[in-house]
Amino acid sequence: MKTITIQTKNTTYQMGITDTGFLLHLYYGKKLNSECDMSYLLTYYDRGFSGNPYDAKDDRTFSMDVLPQEYPGYGNGDYRTTSINVQDINGVYGCDLRYCSHHFSDGKYSLPGMPAVYADISESQTLSVVLRDKASGIEVTLLYGILPAVDVITRAAIIKNIGTNEVILDKAYSGSLDFLNGNHDILHFHGRHGMERIMERNPVIHGVQSFGSKRGTSSHQHNPFVILAEKDTTEDYGNCYGMSLLYSGNFKCEIEKDQFNQTRIAMGILDEMFAYPLQPGETFETPEVAFIMSANGFTHLSHQYHELIRYHVCRGKYKIERRPVLINNWEATYFDFDGAKIVDIAKQASALGVEMLVLDDGWFGKRDSDNRGLGDWFVNEEKMGGPLAETVEKVNKLGMKFGLWIEPEMVSEDSDLYRAHSDWAFSIPGKKPVTSRNQFVLDFSRKEVVDHIVDQITKVIDSAHIEYIKMDMNRSICDVYSAVNGMQNYGKIMHQYVLGVYDFMERLLVRYPNILLEGCSGGGGRFDAGMLYYCPQIWCSDNTDAIERIKIQHGTSFGYPISTVGSHVSAVPNHQTGRTTKIKTRSTVAMAGSFGYELDLSLISEEEKQEVKHQILDYKKYWDLIHNGLYYRLHLPEEDRETAAWMFSSKDQTEGLLNVVTLDTHCNGPISYIKCKGLNENSQYIIEGKSQIYCGSALMSVGLPIPVMQGEYQALQLHFIEVK
Ligand code: GLA
């Protein structure tokens, strides 16, 4: 069998082409010698009810019902989860893709209008494999982007109608993986508003399990990042496979264990209600999925995703530069502020070392509550006490940058925009639309709508010295109908909507290359690798409770680097949970992210203000370690109810920052020992400010006793420094 092999630093991926032109998946796993031909893994038996392709002639042992494939469709005898479903004008399904050609080229492909992993030509390659089915009139170009140093293989597909009639794409996934054997678990990240990306690990069962979103965004409920792991995989041991979809709209991940205990995992745009018409000559490009395989457990897998997203997905000035420590007025004031109050917040914050003031919701139109005003992107000068530039100048004079909140995709029924263009909001004729937070969704699949919003918002940005934008999106989408384009097709519009959102952000970034764009969707309702191509950080959750945040940030860390996590110290009792924690605990948790504050500083004690000053200095001191170092999950919230612990270690192992938060308190209780990670086995370390010398090997294999701390939810940050 002819094989095509992809090699990365630590992994090998191999496919095979049969004599009859089927493109089989032969292997993905730990690196093998490039001469290895893995087709020996395939077995051939005459199996009942497993059909044979006509051109297999008398060979009843050759069946696509069992053979592993690269891009499975329906129509060649495979009845498992498909990646592509095509319907012709008569409603006939029958897609039988066969290999035509392939070639490797230097550099990584890009996907116009969509996010994609990028890399220098010298550090990446592209493999293109062309498949064709003359009968259904479909040509598929499978794209594989290869970044050997980070062990990344990306996948996307370009699907072209090469026939003479219209066809409908009912399903067009980005990629799939087949496993011939093995006992697997699936790790996925589920949640809700205020509790996003909670890790759940389940066995892969016979039948199909699926996760996804039909909310128009990637959603709070399921994240487009999953891990398939062999049963015995832990943080430091075992084979596991990550799939991260660079897409911010409807998606689905399906995991199937078949009749012969083989596993298939596939991911892409949600196929439910997806029906994408392709005229002769037209093409459809799927979004991209990034695969990483680790033969050494979850920690290594996460480190590779962190590296990938930090250096090959995020872009712009703040990809590398330290982000300013910010204060956001939302939880301090909600809608109840004016220009003077904002300057006052900035004054107090600048005295403590905060570097940027972010003016959140409520500065525009008649937005005095969340019932009205969205879409009217002009400054409420009465509320602000003059043009925005005046407030911004005052904040700048304090030595602080200024940032602004927007929610461009939305319109309130009570707004000038809606009164002028009610047809710009999604709404189905004859049906009253579903409202949420009393707002409607603008049809961003229409260019004139995006143009108008870009126009309005850039006028505001141009009017003042704005250096940061928080781009929010505060509801799930429903009632999808595009009034003008003659597009009543949900699937097509929802995809075009996502492209419209990407276009909006790209235009902002081209016009303001130095602006820091932070993503948000009611916190982390659109926290995905697609958004991170435009925004190097995303507000991780509307839940700012330090203890709940530990779980949220823990789940987030599996697929996303610390630098992407927007995280703030907020007031106590916490506004979402009513829980009280010390300001030290809140800052320890918030430092596992892009750090800031979100509270009324005039309400905290003098002692706490002094602490805030120190926290900011500490954050600046540790920033490089936190954002550019390696992150280790130590005590896992799903396993340990007593202590949560995580650690940052520098890549050269000369320092580490151990973070511990107690979750429970006892009389006369046992002692927790935390095993450090990421230090040098052969080095000695001291804890900054102390004289005791510790062996790196002992800290990692035996651990460090955590001193008994009285009171609930205590935090400890210990800075280990190598003794030369
Ligand atoms: C969302 C965001 C919050 C805040 C509000 C403003 O909920 O996640 O941080 O910006 O909107 O309305």
Side-chain angles (χ1 to χ4, degrees):
M1 186 177 294
K2 195 170 161 192
T3 57
I4 308 173
T5 306
I6 297 171
Q7 297 283 32
T8 70
K9 192 170 161 212
N10 301 298
T11 67
T12 297
Y13 189 109
Q14 194 175 72
M15 49 197 105
I17 305 153
T18 68
D19 295 345
T20 40
F22 289 104
L23 186 67
L24 303 184
H25 176 75
L26 296 182
Y27 176 78
Y28 185 29
K30 199 173 172 168
K31 191 162 189 168
L32 302 172
N33 191 314
S34 50
E35 279 83 56
C36 276
D37 178 343
M38 299 305 282
S39 60
Y40 83 90
L41 293 173
L42 304 176
T43 55
Y44 301 91
Y45 294 100
D46 182 1
R47 300 181 192 264
F49 287 80
S50 289
N52 317 105
Y54 191 81
D55 42 2
K57 302 206 175 93
D58 290 341
D59 184 359
R60 288 175 34 162
T61 68
F62 186 96
S63 176
M64 299 313 288
D65 204 14
V66 258
L67 287 167
Q69 298 202 60
E70 279 299 306
Y71 200 63
Y74 172 81
N76 60 14
D78 186 348
Y79 297 92
R80 295 166 290 174
T81 300
T82 52
S83 277
I84 179 169
N85 285 344
V86 190
Q87 199 188 136
D88 75 8
I89 37 170
N90 299 314
V92 173
Y93 293 91
C95 186
D96 186 2
L97 292 164
R98 304 289 178 106
Y99 170 88
C100 285
S101 63
H102 78 273
H103 74 276
F104 281 93
S105 51
D106 286 341
K108 154 87 177 47
Y109 66 86
S110 57
L111 296 170
M114 273 193 286
V117 166
Y118 63 89
D120 274 358
I121 193 158
S122 60
E123 52 179 9
S124 57
Q125 292 116 42
T126 296
L127 164 68
S128 315
V129 186
V130 180
L131 309 174
R132 212 170 278 156
D133 175 27
K134 284 214 187 78
S136 66
I138 288 294
E139 181 184 274
V140 177
T141 306
L142 298 177
L143 297 173
Y144 299 78
I146 309 154
L147 277 67
V150 251
D151 287 327
V152 171
I153 298 174
T154 67
R155 289 196 54 180
I158 301 173
I159 299 157
K160 185 172 183 187
N161 180 350
I162 52 165
T164 49
N165 293 310
E166 180 188 277
V167 295
I168 310 279
L169 271 181
D170 276 348
K171 190 176 190 182
Y173 274 179
S174 303
S176 68
L177 279 176
D178 275 359
F179 297 84
L180 289 167
N181 66 345
N183 232 339
H184 293 102
D185 283 343
I186 180 78
L187 282 74
H188 73 126
F189 301 87
H190 71 101
R192 55 185 187 270
H193 176 228
M195 205 61 192
E196 300 88 338
R197 290 171 300 287
I198 302 305
M199 196 271 272
E200 186 175 70
R201 180 174 183 163
N202 290 314
V204 173
I205 52 164
H206 287 104
V208 182
Q209 284 159 284
S210 75
F211 318 106
S213 164
K214 60 178 111 170
R215 293 170 177 270
T217 57
S218 45
S219 90
H220 301 86
Q221 287 72 15
H222 296 283
N223 195 265
F225 171 71
V226 297
I227 302 171
L228 188 78
E230 287 180 5
K231 253 245 129 32
D232 51 358
T233 304
T234 64
E235 283 287 343
D236 305 302
Y237 173 85
N239 291 327
C240 51
Y241 300 80
M243 284 177 108
S244 182
L245 189 67
L246 282 82
Y247 194 61
S248 314
N250 292 345
F251 78 96
K252 189 155 142 194
C253 174
E254 293 180 85
I255 307 98
E256 178 170 5
K257 189 176 197 169
D258 76 8
Q259 53 184 336
F260 304 112
N261 296 342
Q262 305 187 128
T263 299
R264 174 172 290 171
I265 180 164
M267 202 170 185
I269 291 184
L270 174 76
D271 56 332
E272 200 177 326
M273 298 180 281
F274 178 82
Y276 205 99
L278 279 186
Q279 300 306 323
E282 280 184 352
T283 55
F284 176 79
E285 274 140 33
T286 72
E288 167 170 294
V289 62
F291 294 167
I292 297 180
M293 187 274 159
S294 157
N296 300 308
F298 303 128
T299 301
H300 179 69
L301 188 82
S302 295
H303 286 170
Q304 299 295 71
Y305 272 109
H306 292 183
E307 194 80 3
L308 172 74
I309 290 178
R310 183 133 170 68
Y311 301 109
H312 300 281
V313 174
C314 293
R315 299 177 296 165
K317 174 177 160 188
Y318 287 103
K319 165 181 165 176
I320 300 297
E321 236 175 71
R322 182 176 69 75
R323 328 249 167 90
V325 174
L326 64 84
I327 184 151
N328 178 304
N329 74 303
W330 179 242
E331 285 197 23
T333 65
Y334 296 103
F335 291 102
D336 187 17
F337 64 85
D338 55 20
K341 174 76 190 164
I342 295 303
V343 175
D344 188 45
I345 292 176
K347 247 185 217 148
Q348 304 210 35
S350 77
L352 304 181
V354 176
E355 298 162 305
M356 180 162 75
L357 179 286
V358 175
L359 174 55
D360 210 278
D361 196 354
W363 55 267
F364 53 91
K366 294 201 180 72
R367 183 80 168 162
D368 50 15
S369 82
D370 58 7
N371 287 316
R372 58 189 57 82
L374 288 170
D376 294 342
W377 300 110
F378 44 85
V379 179
N380 183 342
E381 295 195 354
E382 209 181 301
K383 183 170 179 175
M384 293 305 295
L388 185 63
E390 281 181 14
T391 304
V392 177
E393 270 162 33
K394 287 179 193 158
V395 171
N396 287 165
K397 276 209 182 106
L398 295 164
M400 290 173 87
K401 296 179 191 297
F402 189 92
L404 200 63
W405 177 97
I406 57 171
E407 194 179 355
E409 296 149 80
M410 295 294 149
V411 64
S412 306
E413 195 167 17
D414 183 1
S415 67
D416 291 349
L417 181 69
Y418 189 77
R419 283 181 282 272
H421 296 285
S422 61
D423 70 307
W424 284 9
F426 279 140
S427 168
I428 299 171
K431 174 184 184 292
K432 291 284 179 209
V434 171
T435 62
S436 182
R437 215 192 187 199
N438 234 333
Q439 62 199 53
F440 297 148
V441 184
L442 287 173
D443 180 357
F444 261 44
S445 75
R446 285 167 64 178
K447 189 171 175 299
E448 67 274 28
V449 177
V450 179
D451 285 349
H452 175 86
I453 301 295
V454 167
D455 216 48
Q456 296 294 103
I457 288 176
T458 51
K459 269 189 200 132
V460 177
I461 301 177
D462 289 342
S463 78
H465 186 215
I466 289 165
E467 297 179 76
Y468 159 108
I469 293 286
K470 174 177 171 188
M471 178 167 149
D472 212 337
M473 196 293 184
N474 277 318
R475 63 160 289 181
S476 300
I477 302 177
C478 195
D479 299 291
V480 174
Y481 173 94
S482 202
V484 167
N485 291 346
M487 287 201 301
Q488 280 80 48
N489 170 329
Y490 174 93
K492 181 162 181 175
I493 301 169
M494 281 321 296
H495 179 59
Q496 305 271 354
Y497 175 91
V498 178
L499 298 185
V501 174
Y502 291 150
D503 178 41
F504 175 87
M505 291 188 287
E506 190 66 35
R507 286 203 244 171
L508 278 196
L509 296 181
V510 167
R511 189 166 170 143
Y512 310 105
N514 291 328
I515 261 186
L516 170 57
L517 189 59
E518 174 156 357
C520 180
S521 175
R526 198 159 56 181
F527 200 119
D528 54 68
M531 285 306 282
L532 291 169
Y533 185 67
Y534 305 91
C535 321
Q537 67 190 54
I538 297 176
W539 181 225
C540 186
S541 178
D542 272 350
N543 187 345
T544 57
D545 176 292
I547 304 307
E548 299 236 280
R549 267 293 183 118
I550 291 174
K551 286 190 204 143
I552 298 169
Q553 295 178 184
H554 167 84
T556 306
S557 77
F558 280 85
Y560 304 99
I562 303 311
S563 60
T564 62
V565 172
S567 197
H568 300 167
V569 172
S570 64
V572 286
N574 178 267
H575 292 193
Q576 292 82 42
T577 62
R579 191 193 329 249
T580 297
T581 51
K582 286 192 163 173
I583 201 154
K584 161 90 178 160
T585 307
R586 283 172 272 155
S587 76
T588 300
V589 175
M591 278 192 205
S594 281
F595 187 65
Y597 290 84
E598 187 159 338
L599 74 171
D600 188 343
L601 288 170
S602 68
L603 301 179
I604 68 172
S605 68
E606 203 40 53
E607 201 182 319
E608 285 175 321
K609 282 187 184 162
Q610 291 314 313
E611 255 193 81
V612 168
K613 267 192 188 169
H614 286 295
Q615 289 166 1
I616 294 171
L617 292 175
D618 277 352
Y619 184 68
K620 289 185 184 169
K621 182 167 97 185
Y622 298 139
W623 172 79
D624 187 46
L625 185 54
I626 293 173
H627 279 218
N628 297 324
L630 297 172
Y631 173 84
Y632 292 90
R633 295 175 287 269
L634 300 182
H635 274 213
L636 315 180
E638 69 269 14
E639 285 169 8
D640 188 340
R641 297 157 77 105
E642 302 285 325
T643 1
W646 60 96
M647 182 155 183
F648 304 99
S649 300
S650 61
K651 286 179 182 156
D652 64 5
Q653 302 182 321
T654 55
E655 56 171 338
L657 183 68
L658 172 66
N659 301 267
V660 180
V661 174
T662 61
L663 303 175
D664 215 345
T665 177
H666 304 283
C667 157
N668 196 23
I671 301 296
S672 272
Y673 286 76
I674 306 279
K675 290 180 184 166
C676 296
K677 285 187 180 175
L679 300 175
N680 188 334
E681 295 241 326
N682 303 316
S683 295
Q684 294 190 314
Y685 295 86
I686 52 156
I687 293 174
E688 192 185 343
K690 303 262 165 60
S691 54
Q692 162 112 39
I693 294 180
Y694 302 89
C695 292
S697 55
L699 287 171
M700 294 196 289
S701 62
V702 188
L704 184 80
I706 299 304
V708 174
M709 295 182 279
Q710 278 266 308
E712 273 197 316
Y713 311 124
Q714 303 291 327
L716 202 63
Q717 269 185 320
L718 301 176
H719 186 205
F720 289 96
I721 305 167
E722 188 184 25
V723 185
K724 296 281 180 207

